[in-house]
Amino acid sequence: MLRTSASRVLDDSDRDEVLALLDDDPVANVFVSSRVRAVGLNPARLGGQMWGFGPRGGLVSLCYAGANMVPVNAGPEAVHAFADRARKQGRRCSSLVGPVDAVSLLWERLEPHWGRARAIRWAQPVMATSQKPPVPADPMVRRVRPDEFDILLPACVAMFTEEVGVSPNLGDGGALYRTRVAELIRIGRSYARIEGGRVVFKAEVGAVTPQACQIQGVWVAPDLRGRGHAVAGMAAVVEAAMSCFAPVVTLYVNDFNGSARAVYRKVGFHEVDTFMSVLF
């Protein structure tokens, strides 16, 4: 059996070392890096713990353990250490997500203790672009205004339900999800084409660092699909993201979603990595 060292819970005194490790792969690590840059490593602000593997001054790997569990630069020894800690504290996350090798090994260790997952997305290509889109942008895609929250929210709920397989309104009645939607609008990272009080296309910039930003929540009204709204809308969001947030724009997508992958390729994205997600 592989021998491992224990992981440890990090705090703000580890921030510089954590960010240096995250910056080694700014595209893959954009979500975790954005959280650390925004709120630091204090669990009360972070919304979870950051686990480290390796001594102070010699961190090798990380694992963000919040609403999502996300391993970072985690080889087999680190994954085993993180799995041991996760097993002892019990499942507190709604998903495991990250590089396929680390997440698959982490799930192999945790499944006997946590039980069956609701769904597993075995391969999710990570795509990125640093070039202006080669297709025209939709001039009607713009930042969503705070007074348009009630217009945007049903589209966000529909997107989440379609993508994840359950409604974000379960559990707490959707309070946390509504708060997140409102926050992205407030800070200017929610974009949409709205016509006649109805969302035609929408997407959000969910994570931002100086090096990269991540698009999420891409959605077109079902009866308007196949008309080019996704390509033109994504081109507009990519242009805005590069102008306002970071030089590299990234996202990840299910491998079986051929239409979405084709849209992203038309906008200039190319595959740079593969993620895996385990959903509970």
Side-chain angles (χ1 to χ4, degrees):
M1 183 175 177
L2 185 66
R3 297 179 63 187
T4 67
S5 300
S7 62
R8 59 189 177 91
V9 179
L10 306 180
D11 58 32
D12 281 330
S13 67
D14 301 292
R15 185 177 186 273
D16 289 345
E17 192 177 3
V18 166
L19 287 176
L21 182 55
L22 291 168
D23 286 349
D24 282 343
D25 191 342
V27 170
N29 301 332
V30 61
F31 167 73
V32 177
S33 182
S34 69
R35 293 288 299 157
V36 175
R37 291 177 189 278
V39 300
L41 293 169
N42 182 296
R45 297 192 302 271
L46 187 62
Q49 295 179 338
M50 186 72 76
W51 303 338
F53 182 78
R56 190 176 299 275
L59 271 180
V60 175
S61 307
L62 306 168
C63 187
Y64 171 71
N68 309 306
M69 182 171 287
V70 187
V72 172
N73 196 44
E77 280 196 276
V79 168
H80 282 260
F82 296 147
D84 286 345
R85 182 176 289 273
R87 175 182 54 79
K88 290 173 183 176
Q89 74 169 22
R91 183 175 70 81
R92 302 178 183 179
C93 62
S94 61
S95 70
L96 307 177
V97 60
V100 61
D101 289 346
V103 171
S104 60
L105 182 57
L106 187 60
W107 181 231
E108 180 183 307
R109 292 273 295 181
L110 290 174
E111 183 178 15
H113 307 284
W114 284 8
R116 291 173 59 92
R118 181 174 56 79
I120 299 178
R121 309 288 167 80
W122 293 100
Q124 297 174 302
V126 179
M127 307 181 77
T129 181
S130 58
Q131 304 296 322
K132 180 178 178 179
V135 293
D138 184 347
M140 294 186 67
V141 170
R142 57 171 175 79
R143 280 179 166 153
V144 178
R145 302 189 307 265
D147 65 297
E148 294 172 313
F149 171 82
D150 289 336
I151 296 173
L152 184 70
L153 182 63
C156 293
V157 171
M159 177 281 306
F160 187 99
T161 304
E162 183 177 347
E163 171 65 21
V164 180
V166 295
S167 170
N169 294 328
L170 296 177
D172 65 353
L176 284 175
Y177 189 71
R178 290 195 300 272
T179 298
R180 177 59 174 165
V181 171
E183 173 67 5
L184 287 172
I185 294 173
R186 185 187 68 79
I187 61 179
R189 286 169 28 192
S190 180
Y191 292 83
R193 174 172 177 158
I194 298 173
E195 294 182 8
R198 181 191 183 203
V199 175
V200 173
F201 163 90
K202 76 157 198 79
E204 293 85 43
V205 181
V208 173
T209 73
Q211 299 96 333
C213 61
Q214 184 180 76
I215 294 177
Q216 65 180 39
V218 181
W219 184 85
V220 175
D223 61 314
L224 298 176
R225 293 174 185 176
R227 303 185 186 184
H229 289 301
V231 172
M234 280 297 294
V237 175
V238 168
E239 287 186 3
M242 287 181 176
S243 174
C244 300
F245 303 119
V248 178
V249 182
T250 184
L251 52 80
Y252 62 97
V253 59
N254 292 317
D255 64 340
F256 54 78
N257 195 341
S259 59
R261 294 170 70 182
V263 165
Y264 302 146
R265 284 193 293 268
K266 288 179 182 178
V267 178
F269 285 87
H270 59 281
E271 296 183 10
V272 297
D273 202 348
T274 303
F275 275 9
M276 172 180 167
S277 295
V278 181
L279 309 178
F280 303 106

